[in-house]
Amino acid sequence: MALIVQKYGGSSVANAGKIMRVARRVVAAKKKGHQMVVVVSAMGDMTDDLIELADQITKLPSEREMDMLLSTGEQVSVALLAMAIHQLGVKAMSFTGPQVGIITDRFHTKARILDISTERIQKALKEQNVVIVAGFQGKTVSEEITTLGRGGSDLTAVALAKALRARHCEIYTDVDGIYTADPRIVSDARKIDVISYDEILELAALGAKVMHSRSVEVGKKFNVPIYVRNSMNNREGTLITKETKKMEEVVVSGVALAEDEAKITIFQVPDRPGSAAQLFKKFADANINIDMIIQNKTKTNTTDISFTVFKNELARALAVVQKAAKAVKAKSVVCDENIAKVSVVGVGMRSHSGIASRMFGALAKKKINIDMISTSEIKISCVVDGDKGREALRVLHGEFKLGKK
Ligand code: ADP
Ligand code: ASP
Ligand code: MG
């Protein structure tokens, strides 16, 4: 008998029929003798719909109220899944994140989990219940409800698996596992059987939204085996695990596309020590996530600084940037929302060279212009025109021969 944490994404619980299907899957595992903890996301597009509703009221909603709103989605699905399991004659109890003591920091809409007290879950398990926990949410020490960032139910699941010392964590979604590229965009993308934490961490951070990136960080840190599987079939899926020597033989293991960033450029920032520090301190104080940064010194005594931010923070970021730019006496601020970031990822890049030139060459051949570049040990990312992102992804997938044989 083992303790297993399963997580079902929004598409797997999109309607009553699908919730019954999930209930049958959970009960089948329970009947094998396992203790079951199940994390559930909001039904279908409910989170998007709630965001859209808020948007009809205000473009700059209070982040506290946004969390009050968004956390309701998951509360609906956990209760319905508990009822569905009762229908099958099995004991089940649903809980919100705060109810099971998921304690986070105070950064609304992207909070980090600090601690999980497992007593309530352990008690319910001992009483033979399937324990169902609302994903994506927690509370601060002062009882404020928080959410963990889009896709954050994955994090709830992996963090619970760690806290409860589960044998492993199963992430159920609407595709058969992790692919060499988003299978919805690249038709010949191939399912990967085993992938390292580092590779999926990069892919997730670079736009492959099949896994929430912090959930993989937690999995890596505590060595939680994670299986990504399709909730509609019984295929093997993908195992996320520690890196092995064999993985290094594959130079590029996947490509990813992010279309959720915007580029902000501050023109003619006075070229003196401290300008950049002053600007970026303001962004950090406002808790705005900055991704790529490029600084370009011009002939005059000024530099242009470009960086990317996430579109869902753009309005807030722009307000801060305008003010900060004025304070350092920069000339102007321009924003470009029509960008996309394509990336190639693989642990084999540590020991192989020439990947960057192949990547740039493949894009050039298709006349796709590169706007920004950033690299790490196991990835290379390029910002391209927003309209070219999908084409660029397919070009790179082909160039590195990642498709089905
Ligand atoms: P869930 O609601 O189950 O959490 P998500 O929509 O968050 O599901 O994640 C699953 C989706 O991730 C897939 O439908 C797929 O389009 C997308 N995706 C992006 N990149 C990849 C990839 N490399 N492998 C698999 N799926 C990917
Ligand atoms: N419902 C949340 C979202 O759509 C969390 C999740 O699905 O993981 O982002
Ligand atoms: Mg998800």
Side-chain angles (χ1 to χ4, degrees):
M1 190 181 85
L3 195 160
I4 293 172
V5 176
Q6 295 188 333
K7 175 254 170 180
Y8 292 89
S11 49
S12 305
V13 292
N15 55 45
K18 289 188 170 173
I19 291 175
M20 277 314 302
R21 177 192 273 270
V22 166
R24 282 193 287 274
R25 199 183 262 274
V26 172
V27 165
K30 165 108 176 124
K31 292 208 161 144
K32 282 187 189 153
H34 300 310
Q35 286 188 307
M36 299 301 298
V37 174
V38 184
V39 174
V40 200
S41 294
M43 293 170 72
D45 296 328
M46 193 173 210
T47 307
D48 288 326
D49 295 345
L50 292 170
I51 291 172
E52 170 59 30
L53 255 179
D55 190 65
Q56 288 175 29
I57 302 219
T58 165
K59 299 291 169 211
L60 270 176
S62 137
E63 294 192 312
R64 178 187 185 277
E65 301 311 327
M66 212 52 201
D67 278 351
M68 290 298 286
L69 178 69
L70 297 191
S71 61
T72 62
E74 270 67 14
Q75 206 171 329
V76 172
S77 34
V78 286
L80 291 172
L81 180 59
M83 293 175 198
I85 292 175
H86 297 163
Q87 279 302 101
L88 302 175
V90 171
K91 282 177 80 178
M93 266 179 99
S94 71
F95 298 95
T96 65
Q99 276 182 311
V100 292
I102 297 180
I103 306 295
T104 73
D105 64 20
R106 61 190 168 79
F107 292 109
H108 284 291
T109 75
K110 51 185 170 201
R112 282 175 179 266
I113 296 179
L114 300 176
D115 188 34
I116 301 181
S117 54
T118 55
E119 290 111 64
R120 192 139 187 208
I121 296 180
Q122 300 281 16
K123 181 167 178 279
L125 284 173
K126 231 178 240 148
E127 291 162 358
Q128 297 308 314
N129 286 290
V130 169
V131 170
I132 306 165
V133 180
F136 175 57
Q137 52 180 258
K139 66 173 177 188
T140 65
V141 281
S142 45
E143 304 279 327
E144 294 288 349
I145 291 176
T146 50
T147 62
L148 309 176
R150 295 305 307 270
S153 297
D154 297 336
L155 176 58
T156 307
V158 178
L160 277 174
K162 187 259 158 184
L164 295 162
R165 295 187 203 166
R167 182 168 80 185
H168 62 250
C169 182
E170 299 170 5
I171 303 286
Y172 286 95
T173 183
D174 58 355
V175 288
D176 283 358
I178 295 166
Y179 283 70
T180 49
D182 187 340
R184 284 175 207 280
I185 304 176
V186 181
S187 56
D188 71 335
R190 195 171 34 82
K191 197 211 76 175
I192 301 168
D193 295 332
V194 184
I195 193 167
S196 69
Y197 290 112
D198 284 335
E199 284 169 311
I200 184 61
L201 199 54
E202 285 283 14
L203 285 171
L206 296 168
K209 74 177 187 82
V210 60
M211 283 296 291
H212 181 275
S213 54
R214 278 216 312 282
S215 73
V216 186
E217 266 172 40
V218 172
K220 179 184 174 189
K221 188 163 169 197
F222 300 103
N223 208 10
V224 181
I226 304 170
Y227 292 89
V228 181
R229 292 189 180 140
N230 195 328
S231 65
M232 301 298 276
N233 63 43
N234 287 317
R235 295 192 190 119
E236 264 298 291
T238 301
L239 168 63
I240 308 175
T241 182
K242 276 197 273 198
E243 188 177 326
T244 60
K245 223 41 254 111
K246 197 156 176 281
M247 289 177 184
E248 276 204 32
E249 288 165 18
V250 185
V251 184
V252 172
S253 47
V255 296
L257 171 69
E259 296 179 302
D260 58 350
E261 290 180 39
K263 177 178 150 187
I264 297 177
T265 303
I266 311 177
F267 286 103
Q268 296 186 23
V269 179
D271 187 23
R272 56 171 171 77
S275 282
Q278 202 180 330
L279 284 170
F280 285 89
K281 167 136 193 348
K282 291 261 173 22
F283 312 153
D285 289 347
N287 198 29
I288 290 164
N289 286 318
I290 306 281
D291 184 24
M292 289 164 120
I293 304 173
I294 284 187
Q295 170 167 298
N296 196 0
K297 190 166 161 39
T298 49
K299 277 194 199 115
T300 56
N301 287 332
T302 61
T303 69
D304 297 340
I305 299 178
S306 292
F307 50 90
T308 61
V309 298
F310 294 93
K311 280 182 185 156
N312 65 357
E313 293 190 326
L314 183 60
R316 218 160 58 77
L318 269 177
V320 176
V321 172
Q322 301 276 13
K323 237 171 134 184
K326 223 181 189 160
V328 296
K329 300 201 165 48
K331 176 127 188 276
S332 56
V333 174
V334 170
C335 166
D336 183 1
E337 286 190 64
N338 189 29
I339 62 162
K341 182 172 74 177
V342 280
S343 309
V344 303
V345 171
V347 288
M349 280 191 209
R350 288 198 188 112
S351 46
H352 293 74
S353 55
I355 308 302
S357 76
R358 249 177 99 182
M359 179 178 189
F360 304 157
L363 293 175
K365 224 183 286 164
K366 292 286 171 185
K367 303 217 163 2
I368 299 172
N369 194 42
I370 301 171
D371 192 5
M372 301 168 96
I373 299 167
S374 85
T375 63
S376 81
E377 222 187 354
I378 66 162
K379 72 117 200 268
I380 304 167
S381 302
C382 295
V383 167
V384 300
D385 191 287
D387 306 325
K388 298 278 176 149
R390 287 170 178 239
E391 187 192 349
L393 188 76
R394 290 187 200 107
V395 167
L396 296 176
H397 194 261
E399 172 64 31
F400 292 100
K401 303 194 171 40
L402 299 178
K404 290 178 188 137
K405 298 278 162 359

